Amino acid sequence: MGNISSGPEKKSLKVRFYFMSLWLLFVLIFLLTVDVPVSFSSDAKFIGFAELFRRNVLSMISLGCAIISLILAKSFQYRWAGVKNPPYKIKSIKNENYEYLTFLTTYIIPLICIDLTKVRYVLVLTVLLLIIGFIFVRMELYYGNPTLALMGYRLYRAEIEGINPPDGIILITKDRLSVNASIKWIEIDEFVWIAKEINK
C-alpha cells in the first residue's frame, strides 16, 4: 500500500480513526447501560428475549459499535509489502503520546457522565459525538487515538531529512524511534504518516 492520495480516501480514513478512538467510550456505555435482571428465587422466570432486547437497545448498539471500532483498529495494521516510498532519516524527534491521554480525559471521561437513561440525553450525546468528530477531522486531530495506544502504537513529532513542514511530521508507529533512525512510511495526510523503522 502506498500513499493515500485522493481526498475522499483520506477523509474516509480520518473518520475511521475518529470512530476507532471512541472504542473505550462504547465499552463504558455498554457496561453502564446493560440491564440483565438476575434472580435466585425459586419461582424466577426468564423475561424473554423481546423484553431483554427492549431493556438493552442502547447497550447492544454500543457493543456493536465497540466491535466495529475494534475491527477497524485491527485492519489498521497495514501490510508493508509493496510500499515503495523512499526511506527517510529522522533528524530530531519528540514523544507526543500525551495526545492519547488528552483525548481520553477531555472527551471520553466527561461524556460517560451524561445520564444515559433518558432519550433526550442519548440524543445530546449523539449530536456531541458528531460535532466532535467533525472538528477532529477538520482540524487534523484524529490521530490522538487512545484505541491505538491500547494496541501498542506510539505518537512522535519528528523532523525528517529532506522534508520541511512547519511543525514537523506526526509519526504513528509501534517502534521506539530515535534520532538518525531510518523509516519507511505510508502517508495518511501531508504531515501525518504511519511509520516503521528499517532494521539495519
Side-chain angles (χ1 to χ4, degrees):
M1 180 176 179
N3 289 353
I4 300 169
S5 54
S6 71
E9 252 187 303
K10 286 184 178 182
K11 187 160 286 187
S12 172
L13 190 57
K14 293 173 188 178
V15 170
R16 285 173 57 190
F17 263 84
Y18 174 65
F19 194 81
M20 285 159 49
S21 72
L22 299 176
W23 175 81
L24 184 57
L25 177 64
F26 294 140
V27 170
L28 292 174
I29 290 175
F30 171 76
L31 294 175
L32 287 170
T33 59
V34 67
D35 180 14
V36 180
V38 178
S39 174
F40 297 101
S41 64
S42 57
D43 60 344
K45 295 180 180 179
F46 178 53
I47 63 173
F49 287 107
E51 176 62 18
L52 192 63
F53 181 79
R54 188 191 67 78
R55 286 170 174 246
N56 291 282
V57 172
L58 180 59
S59 59
M60 290 298 100
I61 292 172
S62 300
L63 181 60
C65 289
I67 292 170
I68 293 170
S69 179
L70 199 58
I71 291 170
L72 290 176
K74 289 291 184 182
S75 69
F76 172 68
Q77 299 179 29
Y78 293 93
R79 295 180 180 177
W80 290 93
V83 174
K84 297 179 180 179
N85 296 327
Y88 283 116
K89 184 174 284 189
I90 295 173
K91 289 198 300 183
S92 69
I93 193 164
K94 178 183 175 184
N95 191 310
E96 294 279 312
N97 283 329
Y98 68 88
E99 292 282 359
Y100 293 142
L101 189 58
T102 300
F103 185 94
L104 190 65
T105 56
T106 307
Y107 299 97
I108 302 299
I109 302 303
L111 288 175
I112 64 170
C113 298
I114 293 176
D115 184 359
L116 298 173
T117 62
K118 298 177 181 177
V119 175
R120 177 182 297 181
Y121 290 109
V122 173
L123 292 175
V124 169
L125 175 62
T126 303
V127 172
L128 281 174
L129 290 178
L130 291 173
I131 292 172
I132 292 169
F134 176 79
I135 293 170
F136 265 55
V137 170
R138 188 77 178 267
M139 302 299 292
E140 311 292 349
L141 299 172
Y142 53 88
Y143 54 78
N145 189 330
T147 301
L148 292 179
L150 291 171
M151 294 179 67
Y153 285 91
R154 297 177 172 84
L155 273 184
Y156 294 98
R157 187 180 297 274
E159 289 185 29
I160 307 293
E161 284 187 3
I163 306 292
N164 296 301
D167 298 311
I169 300 287
I170 292 293
L171 302 177
I172 303 170
T173 180
K174 277 195 169 185
D175 298 323
R176 291 185 180 274
L177 301 178
S178 58
V179 174
N180 294 324
S182 293
I183 58 169
K184 53 183 177 178
W185 53 279
I186 298 169
E187 179 186 288
I188 297 176
D189 207 347
E190 188 177 2
F191 303 131
V192 182
W193 297 353
I194 304 165
K196 186 173 184 179
E197 185 171 11
I198 298 173
N199 295 325
K200 296 180 179 180

